[in-house]
Amino acid sequence: MKLHCEVEVVSRHLPALGLRNRGKGVRAVLSLCQQAPRTPPGPRAGGERGGRHPACLFISTLKDKRGTRYELKENIEQFFTKFVDEGKATVRLKEPPVDICLSKANSSSLKGFLSAVRLAHRGCDVEAPLSTLTPVKTSEFEKFKTKMVITSKKDYPLSKNFPYSLEHLQTSYCGLVRVDMRMLCLKNLRKLDLSHNHIKKLPATIGDLIHLQELNLNDNHLESFSVALCQSTLQKSLQSLDISKNKIKALPVQFCQLRELTYLKLDDNELIRLPFKMGQLRNLRFLSAARNKLPFLPSEFKNLSLEYLDLFGNTFEQPKVLPVIHLQMPLTLLESSARTILYNRIPYGSRIIPFHLCQDLDTAKTCVCGRYSISSFIQGTTTMNLHSVAHTVVLVDNMGGTEAPIISYFCSLACYVNSCDMLK
C-alpha cells in the first residue's frame, strides 16, 4: 500500500537544542510494508498462525530511494487530521520522537492510508495488500508532476487521470467544449489555463479549487461569468483572470467580490458595461478592456488605483449636457430604509429579508457625498482623465485621447448643485 505526497520529518528534539527544521517537505513515496521476519516462522502457543509480522512505515525520497523505516505497532502518540480534506495530516511517533508531516496528498488516498496506519498501530491485520521492503524505482516519482502543458488534441489524456499533484495545468487548442471534471479534483491547482478552446459555460465547482490563483479562459465561447463563481472560494484565492476573446456582454454585480484580483483582462468581448462596484477591487493593478462596446465607465471606477489601463476601441459616448432626474419627494419608506441599512452598514441577507430586496441593496448607487440611493437619484455624465486612476494609460482612441465618460450619481439636488459648482 503506497501514498504519494510531500513529507517533512520533524524531530521534536530540535527546539530543545536551539535548532530549527528547514520547514519544507520533499516529494516522497510512503509504503505500508510487511516487516521481514528476524527468525524463521514457526507455530505459536495456542495454535496461532506463524509468519504474521507487524506492518511498518517506509518513507522513500528521490535522494534516498532505499528509504527509512518506522515501527508502527503501539508506536503512534497522536494523529493530526484537521486538514485531511486538503491533503494534509501529521503522524506523531513515540520512537523516534518525530512528527511525520504529510502534505499535497490526494485526500481520499490519504484517508485510506491513515486508516491502514491506525490498524497497524493497534496491531490489527491491514486489509489492503502490503508492499515489500524494497527500494522505490525512479519512475514512482514521476507521479509527482506539478506542471503539465497540453497544446493539441492528440496529446490530451482520455484514458488516464491527470496527476493529482499538479499545480499548473494548461490544456490549450484541445477543442474542449466543457471543463473536464477530472480537473476539478486537482486540489493543489494554482494555475489553470483553458485558453483557445470552445468552452461555453463554466461549472460552479471551479470555485472548489481553493488554491487557484490564475485562471486563463482566453479565446473561448463564454457568454457569462456566473454569480456562483464570484461567491465561491475564488474570492480569497483568485489573483489573475483572463476572459478576453469571448462573448460576454456584462459581468454580474457580485464580480467585484473577487477582491484579491490584481490582473484582469476583458479584451475583445461584447461588454456594454462594467460592474458599477468596480471600485471595490482595491488590489487591482492591471486592467485591460479594449475593443468592447462600453459607452461609459461606472461611477466607482474613479476609486481604482492601477498601474496599467487599456480601454482602446470602445464606443464611448459624449457626456450628456442635461442630467437624468429620478428624485422622489418625499422619499418612500423602502428608499429611506435602504439608505439607512447601507449607510450604517447593517448586515443583511436572503435569510433575513426577501431576495429581491437584497438585489436592490447590492445594486445601490453611491453618491459623490458617500451616501447611497436605490431609486431616488440624479444621474449625470462627466469626463475623467484616466491618468487619475492609472500610471500607464493606453490611448482611448486614434486621436490620442486619455479621457473617458464616467457616470456619476447624486442622492439629492443639493449634492448635484454642489458638484456642479466644484466642476466650475
Side-chain angles (χ1 to χ4, degrees), residues 36 39 54 96 108 111 135 149 166 221 223 284 307 372 387:
T39 58
S108 57
K111 290 175 183 177
V149 177
L166 283 181
H221 297 165
E223 296 181 356
L284 195 63
E307 294 175 4
Y372 301 91
H387 279 293

Side-chain angles (χ1 to χ4, degrees), residues 325-332 335 339 375-376 411-413:
I325 301 176
H326 292 289
L327 289 178
Q328 301 169 348
M329 296 301 292
L331 294 179
T332 63
E335 180 76 20
R339 291 188 180 193
S375 56
S376 177
C411 64
S412 65
L413 185 60

Side-chain angles (χ1 to χ4, degrees), residues 134-267:
T134 54
V136 174
K137 298 178 181 179
T138 304
S139 59
E140 286 280 346
F141 293 93
E142 293 178 358
K143 298 178 181 179
F144 285 104
K145 203 170 186 179
T146 58
K147 182 177 180 180
M148 177 179 283
V149 177
I150 304 167
T151 55
S152 66
K153 285 184 180 180
K154 63 182 180 65
D155 296 328
Y156 193 82
L158 296 174
S159 57
K160 60 180 182 179
N161 288 329
F162 296 102
Y164 76 91
S165 56
L166 283 181
E167 296 180 7
H168 176 182
L169 175 61
Q170 178 180 347
T171 55
S172 302
Y173 302 100
C174 294
L176 299 178
V177 296
R178 64 179 64 88
V179 177
D180 192 331
M181 300 307 286
R182 292 176 297 169
M183 300 176 184
L184 306 179
C185 298
L186 305 175
K187 299 302 182 182
N188 296 317
L189 210 58
R190 283 169 166 74
K191 183 174 182 179
L192 179 59
D193 187 341
L194 299 172
S195 59
H196 308 290
N197 283 293
H198 309 299
I199 299 170
K200 295 182 179 180
K201 189 176 181 181
L202 298 176
T205 42
I206 284 184
D208 295 335
L209 299 173
I210 60 175
H211 297 297
L212 192 64
Q213 297 175 352
E214 299 181 36
L215 180 58
N216 187 346
L217 297 161
N218 171 47
D219 192 17
N220 276 280
H221 297 165
L222 295 174
E223 296 181 356
S224 63
F225 194 88
S226 72
V227 172
L229 282 177
C230 299
Q231 296 179 330
S232 68
T233 56
L234 295 181
Q235 290 182 355
K236 297 180 179 180
S237 65
L238 194 63
Q239 298 175 11
S240 174
L241 177 63
D242 185 348
I243 49 177
S244 54
K245 293 186 179 179
N246 280 281
K247 300 177 181 179
I248 300 173
K249 294 183 179 180
L251 295 170
V253 176
Q254 294 82 359
F255 183 85
C256 298
Q257 294 177 14
L258 300 172
R259 296 183 185 176
E260 296 302 315
L261 277 178
T262 60
Y263 180 100
L264 178 59
K265 215 164 186 303
L266 304 170
D267 303 331

Side-chain angles (χ1 to χ4, degrees), residues 9-25:
V9 180
V10 182
S11 171
R12 297 200 296 278
H13 284 329
L14 288 181
L17 299 174
L19 300 174
R20 295 179 61 186
N21 211 61
R22 68 194 191 97
K24 186 177 181 182

Side-chain angles (χ1 to χ4, degrees), residues 313-329:
N314 280 283
T315 55
F316 287 126
E317 298 176 354
Q318 289 296 320
K320 296 178 181 179
V321 177
L322 297 176
V324 178
I325 301 176
H326 292 289
L327 289 178
Q328 301 169 348
M329 296 301 292

